[in-house]
Amino acid sequence: SWIFVRTENEVRVQVGRAEKQWRAENYREAVTLYESVYQNYPKSKYADDVLWEVGTMYYVNFYDVDRALMSFHKLVTQYPDSPLAAESYLKLAQIHEAELGDLPKAIACWNQLLSLDISRETLRQARFNIGNAHFKLNQFEKALGEFQVLMNDGQAGEVTDQARARAGTIMQIQTRYEKSVEYFTEVLEETNCSDCRRTARLGLIESYEFLGQLPKAIEVAQTIPTSEFPVQTKDDLLKRLVEKARYYDPGGQ
């Protein structure tokens, strides 16, 4: 017991030195001290915190994604019960998606995250990220499955609206335009998310065009606020739709 306490005190002192170097922006010295703690005291209660700091510095301060990945991976595999495991899976997914463009590995990290005790908000965002990654991989049925879970779990909010807008786009891709209209209409009726409303409005216009319902497409286009499109862009869109409607129905609009 005495040896353990002494060891932990030594580790705490070294961690304090590393933190001091980090605050002074001496990142190379800081990361060296942190790595020394992990290498010499892997069973210390500070070991997972140290790996987190190392991974974060390699990613943020040195932009060394390989070493960052290594550090976060060690944390989640060697200390799976760490309070930092969830954040580490998020970092791993972020690096695989944004830096390496490896969506399958990002999906695997988000799926690992779902197995942890995380907040509902984090869980729902991770599920949307999984669905969105499948969408980008053209795996539309898998994407739709994730979005359906979010739309059916009884939770309102931006993530639900984003999922519904994505589902509407998938319906368009699958030429299920009537169903896409349902999704996009629900988004416009329920969301305060400006990006979601913009996506839904454009989606509705496109779907109504494919369905040959040009008056409805024009009606939606007329509701576009200047916050979503410049006035000239809106006017050009309306002009195109009106001319198309007149071509197909000369006696109409």
Side-chain angles (χ1 to χ4, degrees), residues 121-136:
E121 180 181 352
T122 301
L123 184 148
R124 299 187 83 246
Q125 185 63 57
R127 193 171 290 284
F128 175 80
N129 291 344
I130 292 170
N132 202 39
H134 282 304
F135 177 85
K136 292 176 181 178

Side-chain angles (χ1 to χ4, degrees), residues 1-162:
S1 177
W2 175 79
I3 293 174
F4 174 80
V5 171
R6 187 182 69 175
T7 299
E8 288 298 289
N9 286 338
E10 291 173 355
V11 172
R12 186 167 61 250
V13 169
Q14 191 157 337
V15 169
R17 291 172 181 162
E19 290 174 347
K20 183 177 180 179
Q21 293 297 326
W22 179 83
R23 285 193 295 270
E25 300 184 1
N26 297 324
Y27 300 120
R28 184 59 64 187
E29 292 81 354
V31 80
T32 299
L33 286 168
Y34 278 130
E35 287 180 321
S36 177
V37 171
Y38 167 73
Q39 292 164 2
N40 295 324
Y41 308 101
K43 294 184 179 181
S44 168
K45 67 180 181 180
Y46 298 99
D48 57 334
D49 294 272
V50 163
L51 282 174
W52 170 263
E53 296 296 344
V54 169
T56 301
M57 279 194 289
Y58 275 129
Y59 186 33
V60 175
N61 301 114
F62 302 123
Y63 194 61
D64 187 334
V65 294
D66 290 333
R67 291 193 177 185
L69 283 173
M70 188 182 302
S71 297
F72 293 129
H73 183 70
K74 285 179 180 178
L75 197 158
V76 298
T77 54
Q78 297 178 18
Y79 310 97
D81 297 326
S82 168
L84 294 167
E87 290 295 325
S88 296
Y89 276 122
L90 286 173
K91 285 293 186 184
L92 286 166
Q94 178 184 349
I95 293 171
H96 282 303
E97 179 192 31
E99 310 299 343
L100 303 178
D102 192 336
L103 291 175
K105 285 190 177 179
I107 290 171
C109 292
W110 283 315
N111 274 317
Q112 288 288 340
L113 178 65
L114 295 182
S115 67
L116 302 181
D117 183 16
I118 55 179
S119 69
R120 176 175 292 181
E121 180 181 352
T122 301
L123 184 148
R124 299 187 83 246
Q125 185 63 57
R127 193 171 290 284
F128 175 80
N129 291 344
I130 292 170
N132 202 39
H134 282 304
F135 177 85
K136 292 176 181 178
L137 291 167
N138 296 328
Q139 298 170 348
F140 299 123
E141 289 306 318
K142 288 183 177 180
L144 193 58
E146 299 294 338
F147 297 145
Q148 290 287 2
V149 171
L150 293 170
M151 290 186 288
N152 296 333
D153 68 1
Q155 300 297 309
E158 188 169 322
V159 172
T160 303
D161 298 330
Q162 289 174 330

Side-chain angles (χ1 to χ4, degrees), residues 93-237:
Q94 178 184 349
I95 293 171
H96 282 303
E97 179 192 31
E99 310 299 343
L100 303 178
D102 192 336
L103 291 175
K105 285 190 177 179
I107 290 171
C109 292
W110 283 315
N111 274 317
Q112 288 288 340
L113 178 65
L114 295 182
S115 67
L116 302 181
D117 183 16
I118 55 179
S119 69
R120 176 175 292 181
E121 180 181 352
T122 301
L123 184 148
R124 299 187 83 246
Q125 185 63 57
R127 193 171 290 284
F128 175 80
N129 291 344
I130 292 170
N132 202 39
H134 282 304
F135 177 85
K136 292 176 181 178
L137 291 167
N138 296 328
Q139 298 170 348
F140 299 123
E141 289 306 318
K142 288 183 177 180
L144 193 58
E146 299 294 338
F147 297 145
Q148 290 287 2
V149 171
L150 293 170
M151 290 186 288
N152 296 333
D153 68 1
Q155 300 297 309
E158 188 169 322
V159 172
T160 303
D161 298 330
Q162 289 174 330
R164 189 169 282 117
R166 274 284 189 263
T169 302
I170 292 173
M171 294 299 101
Q172 285 184 321
I173 293 170
Q174 296 178 339
T175 66
R176 299 163 64 185
Y177 298 113
E178 293 284 2
K179 191 64 178 177
S180 74
V181 167
E182 292 181 22
Y183 283 128
F184 291 137
T185 300
E186 287 179 14
V187 173
L188 287 176
E189 289 175 348
E190 298 179 16
T191 188
N192 292 318
C193 165
S194 58
D195 287 340
C196 300
R197 294 183 67 83
R198 183 177 186 276
T199 298
R201 216 182 302 271
L202 290 176
L204 266 180
I205 293 169
E206 184 176 346
S207 290
Y208 281 138
E209 275 199 85
F210 276 109
L211 290 168
Q213 299 176 11
L214 289 167
K216 289 186 176 180
I218 292 170
E219 183 180 346
V220 175
Q222 288 172 334
T223 67
I224 296 175
T226 55
S227 60
E228 291 181 7
F229 274 115
V231 173
Q232 187 60 52
T233 303
K234 176 182 176 178
D235 289 345
D236 290 343
L237 174 60

